[in-house]
Amino acid sequence: KVTIQDGMLTIQGERKQEKEEKDKKFHRIERSYGSFVRSFSLPSDADESAVKAEFKDGMLNVTLPKSEKAKAKAVSISVS
């Protein structure tokens, strides 16, 4: 779950993992699980309305584009 509120980007999730080992003399199963939360403050020039998040192949990609007013503008200079 990815949320944005008051300039904070919050990522919440739950991790589940199971590991199983079989041998001739024993059979062992380990389970680990738990929830996590991470919060990040967004830069002042980020456009909160255009944030995109994608989860693919075990990787979470969050895209924070700059707002239009924060982008650099070219100014022409006349030389005399």
Side-chain angles (χ1 to χ4, degrees):
K1 181 177 176 182
V2 178
T3 58
I4 296 177
Q5 185 176 2
D6 298 328
M8 292 291 288
L9 172 72
T10 304
I11 300 171
Q12 298 175 334
E14 188 173 347
R15 178 182 12 225
K16 295 179 182 178
Q17 181 179 4
E18 186 172 313
K19 182 179 177 183
E20 185 173 348
E21 275 185 57
K22 290 184 178 180
D23 198 359
K24 292 181 180 179
K25 296 183 180 181
F26 67 91
H27 181 213
R28 178 176 60 181
I29 298 175
E30 292 181 12
R31 291 183 182 101
S32 62
Y33 59 93
S35 60
F36 62 90
V37 176
R38 301 290 184 270
S39 294
F40 306 93
S41 59
L42 294 177
S44 60
D45 59 353
D47 186 4
E48 292 183 16
S49 63
V51 173
K52 295 178 185 175
E54 177 186 26
F55 186 76
K56 184 177 178 182
D57 298 328
M59 179 76 72
L60 176 65
N61 292 312
V62 179
T63 305
L64 299 165
K66 285 186 176 183
S67 63
E68 288 297 323
K69 58 186 172 186
K71 292 184 179 176
K73 296 179 184 176
V75 177
S76 60
I77 300 172
S78 60
V79 178
S80 12

